[in-house]
Amino acid sequence: MAVADATTIGTMAPATEMSSAAIGAGPVRLAVCAPRPGPAYVAGDRVNLRSGPGTGYRILGTYNCGQPVSLRCFATPGQFPGWWSLQIPGGPTGYMRADYVANTGRGPGVC
């Protein structure tokens, strides 16, 4: 049972940069996501979905092992464990730590 990461779940297209004139500050790297085939699932109990890629962001909901998710992209390339941008079917879009997302119905650890 593999835990999702950028190599097992999908691929990232190269990041792009916006000019500082476009956003009013220094250059910002934006990840461009490639489509990800197949289902993914929450791989832990009481896993938080957050409004941004980090524990300092607001919690949008809490989900349990086996909850299906639709991955949008790996939001933090180069970070371990990193964060997935994902959608809860019929629910919110947010961010979940990558080590709590798996590409099998039952995840590792507490599941």
Side-chain angles (χ1 to χ4, degrees):
M1 248 172 283
V3 172
D5 65 25
T7 58
T8 62
I9 280 284
T11 58
M12 290 290 297
T16 60
E17 282 191 17
M18 294 179 65
S19 72
S20 58
I23 58 172
V28 173
R29 294 184 54 79
L30 301 174
V32 179
C33 303
R36 187 253 179 231
Y41 302 89
V42 174
D45 287 325
R46 298 183 308 275
V47 178
N48 293 325
L49 180 70
R50 295 186 176 269
S51 62
T55 58
Y57 290 90
R58 184 172 53 91
I59 296 171
L60 302 175
T62 302
Y63 299 90
N64 290 316
C65 188
Q67 165 74 44
V69 299
S70 295
L71 298 179
R72 297 176 53 190
C73 70
F74 193 71
T76 54
Q79 290 185 17
F80 180 83
W83 293 78
W84 281 104
S85 172
L86 56 83
Q87 164 103 42
I88 302 295
T93 298
Y95 297 83
M96 192 172 284
R97 233 175 84 152
D99 53 348
Y100 291 109
V101 179
N103 59 356
T104 61
R106 301 297 291 179
V110 297
C111 291

